[in-house]
Amino acid sequence: MNISTLSPAFLDSTSKDKFAESIGQALTEISRFFDKDQFYSGASVSQLKQQMQTIVGKLDQPLNLEDTLSELKELYLDHAIAFHHPDYIAHLNCPVLIPALVGDFIASSLNTAVETWDQSTSATLIEQEMINWTCRLFGLPQTADGVFTSGGTQSNFMGLLMARDDYAFKHLGVNIKQEGLTPDVSRFRVFCSDKAHFSVKKNAALLGMGYNSVVVVETDERFKMKPEALQAAIRKEKQQGNLPIAVFATAGTTDFGSFDPLNEICAVAKANDMWFHVDGAYGGCFALTHTHKHLFDGAQYADSITIDFHKTLFQPVCSSAFLVANQQNFRYVSHYADYLNPIETKEADFQNLIVKSVQTTRRFDALKLWFTLRMVDETDLIYYLETVHRRAIDAYELLQAQGCFELVHEPELSTVVFRYQLPNEATNAQLDEANLYIKNTLFNSGLASIASTRLNGNIYLKFTLLNPNTTVTHLQHIIELVVTKAAEYANSQELIVRSR
Ligand SMILES: *Cc1c(COP(=O)(O)O)cnc(C)c1O
């Protein structure tokens, strides 16, 4: 193959027309996806696996774009989950803003990697401005800094890594980055509520502290961490000779959207000389709103904060940030590589963002947020967030009016957790089965997607409202479907009973 037949495959000045044409063809397929009237086709797992089987045998035969797109349509586009659909209210996936997509597209096309200045130039400055904006959102001090990450899990990882290394350095004189883990680390303890995200435990394991290092603190009836229970748990661990190093508070728990009382928890953490992290992966963006701003009181004293723009600021995945109150703490992740960011550049008049990240090659995800903030009025963003919160309250009231649901909380953010109660007295196992039936048959029908979770060991259903276009009418329709599925289940059970 000679160069001239190869080159049109690459994006450069000779192939711009082909690029535009290709993207145009892709856009046609994308708009078809957005025309669908269901969130899902309802295809079964075996149908999709079979679809893949018809293709795998032919993977060594390259296709042109048209054929690749039509193959992809049948394999994926026809069956992809439509998060923009008002009847999709399952997980923390949001519909995305067009300005953010434009930013994403530019970032991908230019393929900027935000690791060193000589790879990213002013992209470095754009990311830094987005970090500064986010630091101001929480009222962090001048010394604060941050970095974009792949998501809340990675941001929480960085928070725990810094908490671990900072404690070891300050209290034990140990440099973990240099020496690795010492036996004392097995006595490190991290505290979070029993409704905190699983990534706290997962990260503790990844960081060599083990699941056992995570002490789960009781929550109150609104699923908020009890400060006095935290204090008691810390005291108990100290008595046992363990070393409390950090508290991970949650601003918007994944299931209940509940906010731990940050000010009170912060006071307990500081009194015990512990790192105070605020996990705002889900709730963080609500610091913009009038309805939830007060719940962030205390976040300004956090040592570190997690915020996911891809959860609640209508950004495509990934768009997420980790903030730290004292930028010096990035020393626990920084590394100077001769070929990339030699130590001489430490004092240069430009930044190599790589010194703040656990990644090396990293996407220019900040450009999506940049486009969003340049093009969308902040008042509109606030309105969208307050709308999805309002929708959760609407859903709560509609479910309550039905009389056949057990509601476990008044929505604090944009989720509602509840379960269907069978007409006759039922065991928890029967209730679990009934509620799973509702969730699964709804999903398979392609008509609506809702989530499930566990509370006190039992299955509950969950609505996650993140789409400002989901209206009360949509909710009424989804609840009708839930009730229909519930009746279907109850009837099928009666049939079994009768046939015995
Ligand atoms: C979703 C979530 C995370 C994890 O974020 P990812 O972006 O999915 O990695 C962490 N904490 C909370 C509270 C979350 O809701």
Side-chain angles (χ1 to χ4, degrees):
M1 213 182 272
N2 66 34
I3 290 289
S4 63
T5 55
L6 249 181
S7 67
F10 294 99
L11 175 55
D12 60 27
S13 64
T14 65
S15 58
K16 285 178 299 190
D17 291 347
K18 181 171 174 155
F19 175 59
E21 190 191 326
S22 304
I23 296 303
Q25 277 175 269
L27 275 180
T28 308
E29 285 307 330
I30 294 172
S31 27
R32 287 202 185 112
F33 172 78
F34 285 92
D35 281 341
K36 284 193 300 197
D37 55 8
Q38 288 195 182
F39 87 93
Y40 183 47
S41 67
S44 66
V45 178
S46 65
Q47 275 172 308
L48 295 182
K49 284 186 171 172
Q50 212 171 347
Q51 187 66 37
M52 182 55 111
Q53 274 314 310
T54 65
I55 296 166
V56 283
K58 301 184 283 186
L59 284 178
D60 55 351
Q61 301 156 26
L63 304 175
N64 62 25
L65 179 59
E66 209 176 326
D67 293 339
T68 306
L69 282 171
S70 68
E71 181 184 89
L72 189 75
K73 182 176 179 303
E74 286 179 29
L75 178 66
Y76 167 61
L77 295 171
D78 283 350
H79 311 289
I81 304 295
F83 298 145
H84 67 281
H85 199 285
D87 294 337
Y88 178 87
I89 53 169
H91 301 287
L92 284 162
N93 313 103
C94 54
V96 291
L97 292 164
I98 294 172
L101 280 172
V102 175
D104 204 3
F105 185 58
I106 293 175
S108 290
S109 303
L110 271 63
N111 199 25
T112 294
V114 277
E115 29 186 322
T116 55
W117 176 268
D118 68 0
Q119 293 172 84
S120 57
T121 60
S122 39
T124 304
L125 305 178
I126 291 176
E127 169 160 335
Q128 193 60 47
E129 271 316 302
M130 294 299 90
I131 289 294
N132 296 347
W133 178 83
T134 316
C135 289
R136 284 198 299 275
L137 177 67
F138 294 107
L140 289 176
Q142 285 296 321
T143 52
D145 198 358
V147 69
F148 273 69
T149 65
S150 64
T153 304
Q154 190 183 78
S155 297
N156 285 348
F157 178 88
M158 293 183 76
L160 191 54
L161 183 148
M162 286 184 184
R164 182 195 69 177
D165 288 18
D166 198 51
Y167 186 93
F169 187 69
K170 286 192 180 143
H171 296 261
L172 308 172
V174 172
N175 178 349
I176 290 186
K177 194 164 107 174
Q178 185 65 38
E179 302 162 33
L181 302 180
T182 58
D184 282 326
V185 174
S186 67
R187 292 190 293 136
F188 284 11
R189 291 295 177 268
V190 179
F191 299 74
C192 64
S193 90
D194 56 16
K195 299 294 175 278
H197 192 258
F198 69 81
S199 58
V200 179
K201 271 196 179 144
K202 178 172 166 165
N203 291 332
L206 294 173
L207 286 162
M209 294 159 53
Y211 284 163
N212 290 348
S213 68
V214 179
V215 178
V216 166
V217 180
E218 204 187 324
T219 47
D220 64 15
E221 69 291 345
R222 298 195 66 200
F223 308 112
K224 296 163 177 282
M225 193 197 288
K226 289 183 183 170
E228 60 289 357
L230 171 65
Q231 181 58 65
I234 293 172
R235 200 178 305 125
K236 189 172 154 212
E237 290 299 327
K238 280 185 176 171
Q239 279 163 3
Q240 292 174 354
N242 292 323
L243 305 170
I245 65 158
V247 181
F248 270 56
T250 314
T253 58
T254 312
D255 279 340
F256 302 96
S258 48
F259 282 71
D260 291 337
L262 300 184
N263 246 329
E264 289 167 78
I265 290 173
C266 175
V268 175
K270 303 270 158 166
N272 289 281
D273 213 357
M274 295 161 76
W275 187 278
F276 175 50
H277 179 88
V278 174
D279 180 359
Y282 171 22
C285 296
F286 282 78
L288 281 165
T289 65
H290 309 294
T291 45
H292 291 72
K293 196 170 184 45
H294 65 283
L295 295 170
F296 290 89
D297 196 21
Q300 69 272 32
Y301 308 119
D303 291 297
S304 53
I305 298 181
T306 291
I307 180 170
D308 267 5
F309 305 110
H310 62 217
K311 289 258 182 80
T312 35
L313 211 64
F314 317 106
Q315 303 294 298
V317 176
C318 305
S319 183
S320 188
F322 170 74
L323 308 176
V324 64
N326 179 357
Q327 65 177 89
Q328 297 282 320
N329 288 310
F330 277 117
R331 67 179 181 269
Y332 297 120
V333 299
S334 59
H335 182 85
Y336 295 89
D338 289 338
Y339 81 96
L340 204 56
N341 59 328
I343 190 82
E344 310 85 86
T345 60
K346 205 175 165 185
E347 304 301 327
D349 60 355
F350 56 78
Q351 254 206 351
N352 291 322
L353 293 178
I354 189 176
V355 300
K356 298 194 282 183
S357 180
V358 296
Q359 295 169 248
T360 302
T361 306
R362 188 161 60 84
R363 284 177 51 83
F364 182 22
D365 287 320
L367 192 57
K368 304 172 220 186
L369 183 62
W370 174 267
F371 263 80
T372 303
L373 298 182
R374 291 302 285 142
M375 293 180 62
V376 185
D377 262 342
E378 195 169 293
T379 48
D380 288 344
L381 292 173
I382 294 170
Y383 175 75
Y384 301 148
L385 292 173
E386 292 183 353
T387 300
V388 294
H389 168 60
R390 177 67 233 174
R391 269 314 89 77
I393 296 171
D394 292 334
Y396 175 83
E397 288 168 355
L398 289 168
L399 286 162
Q400 211 169 31
Q402 291 285 334
C404 56
F405 296 107
E406 174 198 346
L407 287 127
V408 295
H409 69 144
E410 273 179 54
E412 186 159 27
L413 207 49
S414 72
T415 60
V416 201
V417 178
F418 62 97
R419 69 174 170 173
Y420 171 68
Q421 295 192 299
L422 288 161
N424 310 323
E425 212 153 288
T427 63
N428 274 322
Q430 286 169 319
L431 289 172
D432 283 358
E433 196 176 279
N435 283 283
L436 279 179
Y437 176 90
I438 294 169
K439 182 191 91 161
N440 293 333
T441 53
L442 264 185
F443 180 87
N444 294 337
S445 74
L447 294 176
S449 184
I450 67 176
S452 64
T453 187
R454 274 185 195 275
L455 177 62
N456 306 323
N458 302 316
I459 299 282
Y460 281 76
L461 299 174
K462 175 168 83 161
F463 288 175
T464 305
L465 284 308
L466 282 183
N467 187 347
N469 287 323
T470 297
T471 61
V472 172
T473 313
H474 291 117
L475 287 175
Q476 281 166 335
H477 175 64
I478 296 168
I479 292 170
E480 254 170 52
L481 290 170
V482 169
V483 172
T484 310
K485 294 294 172 197
E488 219 173 86
Y489 177 84
N491 287 338
S492 73
Q493 289 307 97
E494 253 173 41
L495 278 180
I496 292 166
V497 174
R498 270 194 226 117
S499 68
R500 269 197 197 135

